[in-house]
Amino acid sequence: MSCARNTRIFDLGASTLRELNSTLQQEGAEGAWEIHNPAGRHSLAVGLTQPVSVTIDGHAGYYAAGMNQRANVVVNGNAGQGVAENMMSGSVHVKGNAGSSAGATAHGGLLVIDGDAGARCGISMKGVDIVVRGSVGHMSAFMAQSGNLVVCGDAGEALGDSLYETNIFVRGAVKSLGADCEEKEMTPEDIQNLTKLLSKGGVIDIKADEFRRYGSARKLYHFRVDNASAY
Amino acid sequence: MTENHHDVTKTFPRYSATFDEFTISQIQRAAATGIYDIRGGGTKRKLPHFDDLLFLGASMSRYPLEGYRERCGTEVVLGTRFAKKPIHLKTPVTIAGMSFGALSAQAKEALGRGASAVGTSTTTGDGGMTPEERGHSSTLVYQYLPSRYGMNPDDLRKADAIEIVVGQGAKPGGGGMLLGQKISARVAKMRDLPEGIDQRSACRHPDWTGPDDLEIKIEEIREITNWEKPIYVKVGASRPYYDISLAVKSGADVVVLDGMQGGTAATQEVFIEHVGLPILAAIRPAVQALQDLGMHRKVQLIVSGGIRTGADVAKALALGADAVAIGTAALIALGDQSPDLAAEYAKLGAKPGTYDDWQDGRDPAGITTQDPELAKRLDPILGGRRIANYLSVMTMEAQTIARACGKSHLHNLEPEDLVALNMEAAAMTQLPLAGTNWYPGKAGF
């Protein structure tokens, strides 16, 4: 692959994961990096705090770009479980498919998945924006607290189970809604927000008014015995 | 036959052992409310415990150390397996994980001050790390929990050790619970939740399942923290042999084993009283697992759940633990259950020693509350002093016993120093029944 000038190359065929991460985590790492021969290695480009641009040229294993702060990470392939887990800021872009728990507990930043995401996409998310071009698996946005999950394809079973204040937008079919998740009205403000999210996710061929919005019915916010069957 | 049958002597009114007064009140409460009982604290039932063990002490066949003169070491190093910066503590008595949210900021600060004064560690809880807590704790263990409330890589790097919480003794298999009364604006912001709603933390981690995943998760955390910090794995006591084995397999530096006497901020009474093992029953299989893997003393073992005195500390260490953790006992040292609060407890339907409504945030001692007026009652400096006093007493008590057994360090205490007072304790610990060289399961009496 061709590299822009000033792009530094890190070859995991020749160096260790520890060397890779400590290099990228160091102050002074700012700039563009390409990781060659990732070979599905776990914990690639984790704990970054500098505004670096990292392209993982191939498939990544578990927790790629985990706990990201400020960095922009691209996976030129598929990513395993927990990609961008607990991201605070910055962005992570998976060009292929993502495994389960993509964007789990992430507090901020932007996660874009061009393909499909597995089960529990956006589980317990706390403020991140997630845009999935394909579909998401079951229990996505489980106990999701805040932020936005945008799904251009379909959603699996029990979407948004035990949801708090995350907004979920789905364009395709939802197999079933989880406990306390309900369809909400799409207001002009929602359309505006979703249009921005789609644009941030690089989705330019799909319009916001093709989506439905889901959110918390807020019936489980206080335990009431009359709602016990919903738990 | 007497003429007047009213003169026949009657038996006394008799309560049922099965339907005792408390059981009757439980049924009446359930029928009236239609919801299970939620409370704080740990199990209140009588269980086999450290009280069922005795030390033998030295005499003709063993040589004691002089009580006040000869050195008896108490220091402990935790996290020597993989971490570049293991934890060095002056006493093996540590403070268990308790959240800001469950406890007031003042209570967390007091725990930090007290622990730091005697050179031991304190631990965060569900809900993240507060600056007060970090500032007042010389050694702070950061809990990494299923909810990940307030989980922040900056705080992760600020911690001295990281404790991955799989479960806790009061509720193995259960998640956290913090009722709306305690979700103040600050607690809500830290947890990214709407203010005032009931908050139920997850019981499973969101991005790993099972020991193979956990091994990768631990590697990720080490990569993020430069392989410096010891990684603890905490489990509630349920299947300790297998759970400890799997924690070691996953790469833990330290394993934390919490018995069912361990407290909680709020959980169903039925869960607290009916799930899990007492710590006495859990230590031997945990130590056995470490020994079978050749990892005893290499992966350190911290035990908790009902540790109250230096005798409990000494017994836990003699059974093979490297350190202990206290939670409920630390709250009592801070002022929980104080007789001075009898009148206020009475207003809440409790008495000193019985108060367990930690879930509802009206704690008159100002400890398990987020009410600013109540929380102000606890002076963090005085509270810290009380914690330091209590930790010092426990350490000195444990030393007293160790010297009497002829040990120059608490870690030299061994099972051979102990006997069991009854069959249950003998069977659970495989210590000989007092006066014999036999325990249940061993051939010959």
Side-chain angles (χ1 to χ4, degrees), chain B residues 185-397:
Chain B
R186 186 177 178 199
V187 172
K189 186 166 186 296
M190 280 181 71
R191 299 178 182 219
D192 190 43
L193 285 172
E195 202 175 323
I197 70 165
D198 293 349
Q199 170 263 291
R200 285 175 294 278
S201 315
C203 64
R204 299 185 302 265
H205 279 264
D207 56 357
W208 65 268
T209 40
D212 295 333
D213 282 5
L214 178 57
E215 190 171 353
I216 304 168
K217 173 51 73 176
I218 288 176
E219 180 198 57
E220 183 208 7
I221 293 173
R222 290 196 197 279
E223 281 290 318
I224 289 170
T225 54
N226 196 29
W227 288 74
E228 286 176 356
K229 300 172 199 310
I231 309 283
Y232 301 10
V233 173
K234 177 177 178 175
V235 295
S238 57
R239 296 174 186 84
Y241 184 87
Y242 298 104
D243 292 338
I244 298 302
S245 299
L246 293 170
V248 170
K249 182 261 175 201
S250 302
D253 293 305
V254 174
V255 286
V256 184
L257 179 66
D258 190 23
M260 73 181 289
Q261 296 97 331
T264 172
T267 291
Q268 297 91 340
E269 152 93 11
V270 71
F271 205 151
I272 296 172
E273 293 290 354
H274 297 277
V275 184
L277 292 184
I279 193 61
L280 187 73
I283 299 178
R284 190 196 58 79
V287 171
Q288 189 69 54
L290 291 168
Q291 288 171 338
D292 288 353
L293 292 165
M295 297 305 269
H296 190 221
R297 307 291 185 206
K298 294 177 184 161
V299 170
Q300 287 80 31
L301 173 67
I302 301 175
V303 303
S304 54
I307 302 277
R308 305 152 299 175
T309 64
D312 290 348
V313 176
K315 288 169 185 176
L317 265 50
L319 286 169
D322 295 275
V324 303
I326 57 166
T328 304
L331 302 189
I332 294 169
L334 279 180
D336 182 44
Q337 315 295 351
S338 166
D340 298 346
L341 299 168
E344 299 209 46
Y345 283 138
K347 286 185 218 157
L348 302 170
K351 297 172 185 174
T354 72
Y355 179 66
D356 59 14
D357 286 329
W358 299 355
Q359 78 289 348
D360 80 358
R362 290 186 292 164
D363 182 356
I367 299 169
T368 59
T369 183
Q370 294 301 318
D371 180 314
E373 289 305 310
L374 291 173
K376 260 198 287 190
R377 294 180 179 186
L378 182 71
D379 176 348
I381 295 170
L382 193 61
R385 183 70 240 171
R386 294 175 63 86
I387 292 290
N389 284 344
Y390 174 54
L391 289 168
S392 296
V393 169
M394 289 177 96
T395 307
M396 289 191 289
E397 286 177 340

